[in-house]
Amino acid sequence: MTYLTAPGLPEAAVRARARDGAAAVFPPLDSYGTTVFGAEAAGPGDEIDALRLAPPVFMPGRLAALIDLGREPLYSDVRLTTALGGFDAPVPVYVSALGSTRVAGTSLALSRQAGRLGIPMVIGENVAPMNGFRSSGDDHRKGLLERILAYCEELPDGVGGVCVQQSTEDADSEVWNHVYSDPAVSGLLASGRLGFEMKVGQGAKPGLGGLTMISETRADDLDGQYALERLTPDGASVLRCSSPGTFTEEIFRRQIQLMRNNYPRARCWVKLFPGRDVGHAADIAWEAGAHAVTVDGAEGGTGWAPTGFLGHVGLPLAECLRRIDPAGRTLLASGRVWDGIRAVKLLALGAGAVGLGRAALVAADEDPDHGLERLLDAMALEMRMAVSALGRYAADETGPEDLWRPES
């Protein structure tokens, strides 16, 4: 029985892919031979939706692949394997940070499927302070280590990795110290597949910390640890507010350097919200030693946010990518990613890999056992076809010349 909805995301298409996998990339199979298809008028969307992939007529890259293979290359020859932020993945995709809100904590299905796929997974902020390091036994409160262990139980050798995010309240609980020294993650640490992500902010509510609705009973437990806001006159609706943290250039730089110094065996990721100085912040992060910088565009989803923020605060993802120059460094991008075409556009705009947030949750909600796997099958097929159509045979070979921007 599904219960999640995802306004702003083509939820029906995501659910179809979670059910049918690669077949959902095409029109309904029962329409073959009875329907002819063509492009429809462009509908509402963001700037990335408006971009079109623009294959060239002349493709020296295809000739190079032909010579290498000794035959005409096919889309199935496109290489999607990717090194991202110190981890290896079979496709340039990772699961974005999912924190302590109820939609992210009701099941370990995502952890198991992400592990099985061998794609990196980020565990978001406030999981340990809210749910504990180990499960309390409550179905809605899966502990941090339960998520890691569920992932590791399915993880093949040599790929994937877990990145644990930390916010102000997580730092107060010494989350990274506990994770780094816990025997349950020793295998990840030994194989170089443990990372820590410093969260500066997130796309849906830039400049704010995490927000979660909690019960009055939980409010009593958390009073003094978090700021609490009673939203209704009867006080029954309680908003738990995390601190967004305070950063100057020097504080930012020093915190990254401390991460590298205190946890030398862990990968260092930094997550930026879509602020106007996002390019400058990314440069500082890389110079200070970050293995990867994640930029979460204003299109990025969330478990809970003020509705006014969703449409009016933060830069669109396309604008963020214009302001950042990766220059060979790992840039990760997230924001309304659900299909292979949008993913390839983001790779052409400079991202090294893309994050699945709401789409991953919806896919696992549709099928807790295989929904995310089928969604990734569909994405991988689309990505191979799109990259091959551009005359490329590796996902990281795409560039801005592969995109056409309509006249404004």
Side-chain angles (χ1 to χ4, degrees), residues 245-316:
T246 300
F247 295 94
T248 64
E249 289 185 20
E250 186 60 20
I251 291 172
F252 185 56
R253 183 180 293 107
R254 291 295 184 190
Q255 288 198 5
I256 296 168
Q257 291 171 343
L258 281 172
M259 288 174 68
R260 294 299 309 271
N261 182 68
N262 293 346
Y263 311 106
R265 300 172 67 193
R267 309 305 183 190
C268 172
W269 288 22
V270 176
K271 183 174 184 176
L272 301 175
F273 64 79
R276 64 189 187 218
D277 53 355
V278 65
H280 183 47
D283 284 337
I284 292 175
W286 282 314
E287 290 165 5
H291 293 100
V293 171
T294 298
V295 58
D296 202 14
E299 302 90 339
T302 183
W304 201 246
T307 55
F309 269 66
L310 299 177
H312 299 281
V313 181
L315 297 177

Side-chain angles (χ1 to χ4, degrees), residues 40-266:
E40 298 179 0
D46 61 14
E47 185 180 341
I48 294 167
D49 290 325
L51 294 172
R52 294 183 69 91
L53 296 173
V57 174
F58 303 117
M59 299 182 180
R62 182 166 291 178
L63 175 61
L66 183 153
I67 294 170
D68 184 54
L69 294 168
R71 59 169 172 78
E72 284 285 348
L74 303 170
Y75 68 82
S76 54
D77 295 310
V78 170
R79 177 178 57 81
L80 296 182
T81 53
T82 303
L84 57 107
F87 302 139
D88 293 321
V91 291
V93 176
Y94 65 97
V95 176
S96 296
L98 304 173
S100 60
T101 58
R102 181 168 179 170
V103 296
T106 55
S107 172
L108 299 177
L110 266 181
S111 297
R112 295 191 182 99
Q113 292 187 59
R116 205 174 302 142
L117 288 161
I119 61 174
M121 178 183 73
V122 183
I123 299 178
E125 64 173 348
N126 293 314
V127 175
M130 288 290 294
N131 300 351
F133 284 92
R134 290 176 172 80
S135 175
S136 66
D138 185 331
D139 287 342
H140 298 310
R141 294 173 59 190
K142 298 301 181 185
L144 187 149
L145 287 178
E146 271 72 20
R147 297 193 193 187
I148 294 176
L149 292 174
Y151 179 89
C152 291
E153 286 170 1
E154 305 285 347
L155 185 65
D157 291 337
V159 292
V162 173
C163 207
V164 179
Q165 195 178 84
Q166 181 167 281
S167 65
T168 301
E169 289 79 13
D170 291 303
D172 291 341
S173 299
E174 298 188 343
V175 167
W176 286 347
N177 288 337
H178 284 289
V179 171
Y180 197 72
S181 60
D182 197 293
V185 300
S186 60
L188 288 176
L189 197 60
S191 61
R193 292 185 286 176
L194 177 67
F196 293 146
E197 181 175 77
M198 184 174 78
K199 180 192 173 186
V200 179
Q202 60 199 63
K205 42 184 181 283
L208 294 179
L211 303 173
T212 303
M213 298 303 298
I214 59 175
S215 67
E216 185 63 42
T217 301
R218 288 290 285 150
D220 292 338
D221 295 338
L222 299 173
D223 194 15
Q225 185 179 8
Y226 291 92
L228 305 176
E229 180 85 22
R230 285 166 174 79
L231 299 181
T232 55
D234 62 6
S237 298
V238 183
L239 180 70
R240 187 227 69 196
C241 310
S242 298
S243 164
T246 300
F247 295 94
T248 64
E249 289 185 20
E250 186 60 20
I251 291 172
F252 185 56
R253 183 180 293 107
R254 291 295 184 190
Q255 288 198 5
I256 296 168
Q257 291 171 343
L258 281 172
M259 288 174 68
R260 294 299 309 271
N261 182 68
N262 293 346
Y263 311 106
R265 300 172 67 193

